[in-house]
mmCIF file of all heavy atoms in Angstrom:
data_model
loop_
_atom_site.group_PDB
_atom_site.id
_atom_site.type_symbol
_atom_site.label_atom_id
_atom_site.label_comp_id
_atom_site.label_asym_id
_atom_site.label_seq_id
_atom_site.Cartn_x
_atom_site.Cartn_y
_atom_site.Cartn_z
ATOM 1 N N LEU R 10 0.808 -1.212 0.000
ATOM 2 C CA LEU R 10 0.000 0.000 0.000
ATOM 3 C C LEU R 10 0.847 1.270 0.000
ATOM 4 O O LEU R 10 0.326 2.373 -0.184
ATOM 5 C CB LEU R 10 -0.935 0.012 1.215
ATOM 6 C CG LEU R 10 -1.874 -1.199 1.311
ATOM 7 C CD1 LEU R 10 -2.688 -1.139 2.601
ATOM 8 C CD2 LEU R 10 -2.794 -1.260 0.103
ATOM 9 N N ALA R 11 2.154 1.108 0.215
ATOM 10 C CA ALA R 11 3.113 2.221 0.175
ATOM 11 C C ALA R 11 2.646 3.424 0.990
ATOM 12 O O ALA R 11 2.551 4.548 0.479
ATOM 13 C CB ALA R 11 3.383 2.642 -1.270
ATOM 14 N N PRO R 12 2.367 3.223 2.277
ATOM 15 C CA PRO R 12 1.849 4.350 3.081
ATOM 16 C C PRO R 12 2.922 5.384 3.382
ATOM 17 O O PRO R 12 4.107 5.062 3.519
ATOM 18 C CB PRO R 12 1.394 3.660 4.369
ATOM 19 C CG PRO R 12 2.277 2.465 4.490
ATOM 20 C CD PRO R 12 2.505 1.993 3.085
ATOM 21 N N ASP R 13 2.490 6.629 3.511
ATOM 22 C CA ASP R 13 3.351 7.678 4.049
ATOM 23 C C ASP R 13 3.169 7.784 5.561
ATOM 24 O O ASP R 13 4.083 8.192 6.271
ATOM 25 C CB ASP R 13 3.018 9.027 3.409
ATOM 26 C CG ASP R 13 3.338 9.045 1.927
ATOM 27 O OD1 ASP R 13 4.481 8.758 1.565
ATOM 28 O OD2 ASP R 13 2.417 9.327 1.137
ATOM 29 N N VAL R 14 1.979 7.431 6.017
ATOM 30 C CA VAL R 14 1.630 7.437 7.440
ATOM 31 C C VAL R 14 0.648 6.289 7.676
ATOM 32 O O VAL R 14 -0.196 6.005 6.823
ATOM 33 C CB VAL R 14 0.971 8.770 7.870
ATOM 34 C CG1 VAL R 14 0.592 8.739 9.350
ATOM 35 C CG2 VAL R 14 1.889 9.955 7.596
ATOM 36 N N ILE R 15 0.763 5.642 8.832
ATOM 37 C CA ILE R 15 -0.212 4.634 9.233
ATOM 38 C C ILE R 15 -0.951 5.147 10.466
ATOM 39 O O ILE R 15 -0.328 5.631 11.414
ATOM 40 C CB ILE R 15 0.461 3.278 9.540
ATOM 41 C CG1 ILE R 15 1.108 2.712 8.264
ATOM 42 C CG2 ILE R 15 -0.552 2.291 10.106
ATOM 43 C CD1 ILE R 15 1.905 1.431 8.497
ATOM 44 N N VAL R 16 -2.267 5.059 10.428
ATOM 45 C CA VAL R 16 -3.109 5.462 11.557
ATOM 46 C C VAL R 16 -3.783 4.221 12.118
ATOM 47 O O VAL R 16 -4.512 3.531 11.390
ATOM 48 C CB VAL R 16 -4.182 6.488 11.128
ATOM 49 C CG1 VAL R 16 -5.055 6.868 12.322
ATOM 50 C CG2 VAL R 16 -3.538 7.722 10.517
ATOM 51 N N ASN R 17 -3.539 3.920 13.386
ATOM 52 C CA ASN R 17 -4.208 2.776 14.010
ATOM 53 C C ASN R 17 -5.471 3.272 14.714
ATOM 54 O O ASN R 17 -5.439 3.716 15.856
ATOM 55 C CB ASN R 17 -3.291 2.064 14.998
ATOM 56 C CG ASN R 17 -3.934 0.792 15.530
ATOM 57 O OD1 ASN R 17 -4.655 0.115 14.805
ATOM 58 N ND2 ASN R 17 -3.686 0.470 16.777
ATOM 59 N N ALA R 18 -6.582 3.185 13.984
ATOM 60 C CA ALA R 18 -7.866 3.623 14.521
ATOM 61 C C ALA R 18 -8.718 2.449 14.981
ATOM 62 O O ALA R 18 -9.699 2.642 15.696
ATOM 63 C CB ALA R 18 -8.633 4.420 13.464
ATOM 64 N N ALA R 19 -8.371 1.242 14.553
ATOM 65 C CA ALA R 19 -9.123 0.060 14.960
ATOM 66 C C ALA R 19 -8.805 -0.278 16.411
ATOM 67 O O ALA R 19 -7.685 -0.075 16.874
ATOM 68 C CB ALA R 19 -8.792 -1.117 14.056
ATOM 69 N N ALA R 20 -9.795 -0.807 17.108
ATOM 70 C CA ALA R 20 -9.585 -1.160 18.518
ATOM 71 C C ALA R 20 -10.731 -2.029 18.998
ATOM 72 O O ALA R 20 -11.809 -2.076 18.387
ATOM 73 C CB ALA R 20 -9.490 0.095 19.389
ATOM 74 N N TYR R 21 -10.497 -2.705 20.104
ATOM 75 C CA TYR R 21 -11.567 -3.378 20.829
ATOM 76 C C TYR R 21 -12.172 -2.321 21.742
ATOM 77 O O TYR R 21 -11.494 -1.814 22.644
ATOM 78 C CB TYR R 21 -11.001 -4.537 21.651
ATOM 79 C CG TYR R 21 -12.044 -5.327 22.422
ATOM 80 C CD1 TYR R 21 -12.416 -6.600 22.014
ATOM 81 C CD2 TYR R 21 -12.652 -4.799 23.558
ATOM 82 C CE1 TYR R 21 -13.371 -7.330 22.719
ATOM 83 C CE2 TYR R 21 -13.610 -5.503 24.256
ATOM 84 C CZ TYR R 21 -13.970 -6.769 23.838
ATOM 85 O OH TYR R 21 -14.910 -7.471 24.540
ATOM 86 N N THR R 22 -13.425 -1.958 21.493
ATOM 87 C CA THR R 22 -14.024 -0.821 22.204
ATOM 88 C C THR R 22 -15.261 -1.190 23.024
ATOM 89 O O THR R 22 -15.936 -0.296 23.537
ATOM 90 C CB THR R 22 -14.411 0.289 21.214
ATOM 91 O OG1 THR R 22 -15.325 -0.243 20.249
ATOM 92 C CG2 THR R 22 -13.180 0.837 20.507
ATOM 93 N N ALA R 23 -15.554 -2.469 23.152
ATOM 94 C CA ALA R 23 -16.705 -2.891 23.951
ATOM 95 C C ALA R 23 -16.312 -2.828 25.427
ATOM 96 O O ALA R 23 -15.865 -3.815 26.012
ATOM 97 C CB ALA R 23 -17.142 -4.290 23.558
ATOM 98 N N VAL R 24 -16.469 -1.657 26.013
ATOM 99 C CA VAL R 24 -15.929 -1.369 27.344
ATOM 100 C C VAL R 24 -16.406 -2.373 28.388
ATOM 101 O O VAL R 24 -15.608 -2.912 29.165
ATOM 102 C CB VAL R 24 -16.290 0.070 27.771
ATOM 103 C CG1 VAL R 24 -15.815 0.339 29.187
ATOM 104 C CG2 VAL R 24 -15.677 1.081 26.802
ATOM 105 N N ASP R 25 -17.690 -2.622 28.437
ATOM 106 C CA ASP R 25 -18.222 -3.538 29.449
ATOM 107 C C ASP R 25 -17.919 -4.999 29.109
ATOM 108 O O ASP R 25 -17.581 -5.798 29.987
ATOM 109 C CB ASP R 25 -19.724 -3.329 29.608
ATOM 110 C CG ASP R 25 -20.052 -1.997 30.270
ATOM 111 O OD1 ASP R 25 -19.310 -1.593 31.190
ATOM 112 O OD2 ASP R 25 -21.033 -1.356 29.857
ATOM 113 N N LYS R 26 -18.045 -5.361 27.845
ATOM 114 C CA LYS R 26 -17.788 -6.738 27.435
ATOM 115 C C LYS R 26 -16.343 -7.139 27.671
ATOM 116 O O LYS R 26 -16.026 -8.311 27.890
ATOM 117 C CB LYS R 26 -18.164 -6.920 25.967
ATOM 118 C CG LYS R 26 -18.279 -8.375 25.527
ATOM 119 C CD LYS R 26 -18.786 -8.458 24.100
ATOM 120 C CE LYS R 26 -18.937 -9.919 23.666
ATOM 121 N NZ LYS R 26 -19.429 -10.022 22.273
ATOM 122 N N ALA R 27 -15.438 -6.155 27.641
ATOM 123 C CA ALA R 27 -14.015 -6.434 27.857
ATOM 124 C C ALA R 27 -13.761 -7.080 29.209
ATOM 125 O O ALA R 27 -12.794 -7.835 29.380
ATOM 126 C CB ALA R 27 -13.192 -5.156 27.729
ATOM 127 N N GLU R 28 -14.619 -6.787 30.176
ATOM 128 C CA GLU R 28 -14.441 -7.365 31.506
ATOM 129 C C GLU R 28 -14.516 -8.890 31.473
ATOM 130 O O GLU R 28 -13.906 -9.565 32.305
ATOM 131 C CB GLU R 28 -15.488 -6.808 32.472
ATOM 132 C CG GLU R 28 -15.377 -5.318 32.724
ATOM 133 C CD GLU R 28 -14.031 -4.922 33.327
ATOM 134 O OE1 GLU R 28 -13.641 -5.518 34.346
ATOM 135 O OE2 GLU R 28 -13.374 -4.029 32.759
ATOM 136 N N SER R 29 -15.234 -9.440 30.510
ATOM 137 C CA SER R 29 -15.332 -10.895 30.375
ATOM 138 C C SER R 29 -14.514 -11.428 29.204
ATOM 139 O O SER R 29 -14.480 -12.638 28.974
ATOM 140 C CB SER R 29 -16.800 -11.318 30.207
ATOM 141 O OG SER R 29 -17.372 -10.718 29.057
ATOM 142 N N GLU R 30 -13.854 -10.526 28.460
ATOM 143 C CA GLU R 30 -13.012 -10.935 27.330
ATOM 144 C C GLU R 30 -11.643 -10.259 27.400
ATOM 145 O O GLU R 30 -11.193 -9.626 26.440
ATOM 146 C CB GLU R 30 -13.685 -10.586 26.000
ATOM 147 C CG GLU R 30 -14.947 -11.359 25.714
ATOM 148 C CD GLU R 30 -15.527 -11.068 24.335
ATOM 149 O OE1 GLU R 30 -15.228 -9.977 23.788
ATOM 150 O OE2 GLU R 30 -16.265 -11.908 23.823
ATOM 151 N N PRO R 31 -10.950 -10.385 28.526
ATOM 152 C CA PRO R 31 -9.681 -9.655 28.664
ATOM 153 C C PRO R 31 -8.626 -10.082 27.652
ATOM 154 O O PRO R 31 -7.855 -9.244 27.170
ATOM 155 C CB PRO R 31 -9.250 -9.977 30.100
ATOM 156 C CG PRO R 31 -9.956 -11.249 30.435
ATOM 157 C CD PRO R 31 -11.267 -11.176 29.730
ATOM 158 N N ASP R 32 -8.567 -11.363 27.328
ATOM 159 C CA ASP R 32 -7.544 -11.836 26.388
ATOM 160 C C ASP R 32 -7.732 -11.190 25.019
ATOM 161 O O ASP R 32 -6.755 -10.760 24.387
ATOM 162 C CB ASP R 32 -7.590 -13.358 26.261
ATOM 163 C CG ASP R 32 -7.132 -14.066 27.521
ATOM 164 O OD1 ASP R 32 -6.496 -13.409 28.377
ATOM 165 O OD2 ASP R 32 -7.415 -15.270 27.667
ATOM 166 N N LEU R 33 -8.971 -11.119 24.568
ATOM 167 C CA LEU R 33 -9.239 -10.516 23.263
ATOM 168 C C LEU R 33 -8.963 -9.015 23.297
ATOM 169 O O LEU R 33 -8.376 -8.458 22.361
ATOM 170 C CB LEU R 33 -10.682 -10.774 22.841
ATOM 171 C CG LEU R 33 -11.107 -10.207 21.478
ATOM 172 C CD1 LEU R 33 -10.205 -10.726 20.368
ATOM 173 C CD2 LEU R 33 -12.571 -10.539 21.193
ATOM 174 N N ALA R 34 -9.375 -8.342 24.364
ATOM 175 C CA ALA R 34 -9.146 -6.899 24.474
ATOM 176 C C ALA R 34 -7.659 -6.579 24.414
ATOM 177 O O ALA R 34 -7.237 -5.658 23.705
ATOM 178 C CB ALA R 34 -9.759 -6.364 25.766
ATOM 179 N N PHE R 35 -6.838 -7.339 25.142
ATOM 180 C CA PHE R 35 -5.399 -7.081 25.127
ATOM 181 C C PHE R 35 -4.768 -7.511 23.811
ATOM 182 O O PHE R 35 -3.804 -6.887 23.344
ATOM 183 C CB PHE R 35 -4.725 -7.776 26.315
ATOM 184 C CG PHE R 35 -4.732 -6.959 27.575
ATOM 185 C CD1 PHE R 35 -5.789 -7.048 28.470
ATOM 186 C CD2 PHE R 35 -3.712 -6.069 27.855
ATOM 187 C CE1 PHE R 35 -5.815 -6.281 29.632
ATOM 188 C CE2 PHE R 35 -3.713 -5.295 29.009
ATOM 189 C CZ PHE R 35 -4.776 -5.402 29.902
ATOM 190 N N ALA R 36 -5.295 -8.573 23.203
ATOM 191 C CA ALA R 36 -4.747 -9.003 21.911
ATOM 192 C C ALA R 36 -4.885 -7.906 20.866
ATOM 193 O O ALA R 36 -3.959 -7.642 20.083
ATOM 194 C CB ALA R 36 -5.458 -10.275 21.434
#
């Protein structure tokens, strides 16, 4: 893709669900 800049905007954002999915949130 020959980027000039990379923006990491993707994330695990299910704040409450993260409490039961810590491995996925940290991954």
Side-chain angles (χ1 to χ4, degrees):
L10 303 176
D13 294 305
V14 179
I15 296 175
V16 179
N17 186 35
Y21 181 107
T22 58
V24 176
D25 290 322
K26 195 174 181 180
E28 296 300 308
S29 60
E30 293 185 337
D32 291 344
L33 181 57
F35 274 89

